[in-house]
Amino acid sequence: MRQRERADLMRLDKFVRESVLPRTHPHTTARRRVLEALGEADGLCTARTRNTDGDVIVCTLDAGHYDPDDKPPFKDGKPGGWHKANAVIWNDLGAACIPHAAL
């Protein structure tokens, strides 16, 4: 039975890498979840914040990107050096934020 389970896991891993991962957009929560499932999220930022509903939002950018002085030009939504997850952009100074350094 173990050999069959291992073969099933290998097929699932292959499917996720070849079909699911390429369909996710970079720097999105969906891509982060896929990378976490594959065990490959080590290189991602760990900063977190909470939205107005109280949901935890985790940064989807690469680790080491944060620069509080690189403020985003909010017109086009690019994060500058701040944290980003889908359409949410934040810095470590917000009351609901957990900076990457705190983890």
Side-chain angles (χ1 to χ4, degrees):
M1 187 76 158
R2 278 189 185 248
Q3 191 172 14
R4 183 177 178 160
E5 289 174 359
R6 183 168 293 155
D8 288 345
L9 287 174
M10 289 175 67
R11 281 194 298 276
L12 178 59
D13 184 86
K14 182 179 178 185
F15 171 77
V16 170
R17 289 179 192 281
E18 293 177 359
S19 298
V20 179
L21 188 59
R23 293 180 183 175
T24 61
H25 295 285
H27 310 301
T28 60
T29 301
R31 185 172 190 88
R32 183 182 184 98
R33 287 181 182 149
V34 171
L35 290 172
E36 286 173 345
L38 292 171
E40 296 182 6
D42 291 345
L44 297 178
C45 183
T46 58
R48 292 163 162 68
T49 191
R50 290 190 181 272
N51 65 13
T52 54
D53 294 334
D55 298 328
V56 174
I57 301 170
V58 183
C59 183
T60 58
L61 299 175
D62 295 332
H65 73 90
Y66 184 68
D67 179 1
D69 296 327
D70 186 6
K71 296 179 182 174
F74 289 100
K75 295 175 192 169
D76 62 6
K78 292 182 182 174
W82 290 16
H83 302 295
K84 181 178 186 341
N86 300 333
V88 180
I89 298 172
W90 73 95
N91 68 11
D92 287 343
L93 300 177
C97 296
I98 303 170
H100 54 278
L103 297 174

